[in-house]
Amino acid sequence: MAEKSIQSIVVTYKYRLLPNKRQHALLAAIRESQRHLYNGGLEHRIGAYRKGGKTITLYSQLKELTELRKDAQFSSVPANLQRWTLKRLDEAIGLSFGD
């Protein structure tokens, strides 16, 4: 019985974005907001571990994010984007400790 070879083709597209000044400013504000969220989440985890040896999980930070989003400052960015940022933080911490 002969084996069948399955071939796959991956198609990629490259798009060039040309934001106007207003869009550029909005994208910069989102990037800055996500930077603060990432660094704040990292600081929260490091501080909890240094103070009491407690490990903060992704899920506890996602619960805290739900509370933070009640503030207008944190609700201006889509929640999925914020969750994704915290997930990247969790993956980075997992990789740095060899998990």
Side-chain angles (χ1 to χ4, degrees):
M1 185 184 268
E3 289 186 33
K4 291 186 178 181
S5 175
I6 299 175
Q7 296 180 358
S8 64
I9 297 174
V10 176
V11 178
T12 60
Y13 297 94
K14 193 175 196 178
Y15 295 96
R16 185 171 176 189
L17 298 179
L18 298 171
N20 60 33
K21 288 182 182 183
R22 182 182 154 276
Q23 292 167 330
H24 191 345
L26 289 171
L27 289 170
I30 289 172
R31 185 182 65 231
E32 185 69 10
S33 168
Q34 295 307 100
R35 183 181 70 83
H36 282 288
L37 179 63
Y38 186 96
N39 289 337
L42 179 60
E43 185 178 323
H44 181 225
R45 287 181 179 221
I46 291 171
Y49 188 76
R50 284 185 178 161
K51 288 179 184 173
K54 183 179 176 188
T55 302
I56 304 293
T57 65
L58 170 63
Y59 301 105
S60 65
Q61 285 190 319
L62 290 174
K63 285 181 185 178
E64 292 171 5
L65 178 62
T66 302
E67 293 299 316
L68 281 174
R69 287 190 53 79
K70 292 178 182 175
D71 183 4
Q73 176 187 357
F74 291 98
S75 63
S76 62
V77 177
N80 287 342
L81 185 59
Q82 293 172 325
R83 287 186 206 111
W84 182 67
T85 298
L86 291 176
K87 182 157 177 41
R88 281 186 324 156
L89 170 62
D90 190 62
E91 290 171 356
I93 289 174
L95 292 173
S96 67
F97 293 122
D99 289 344

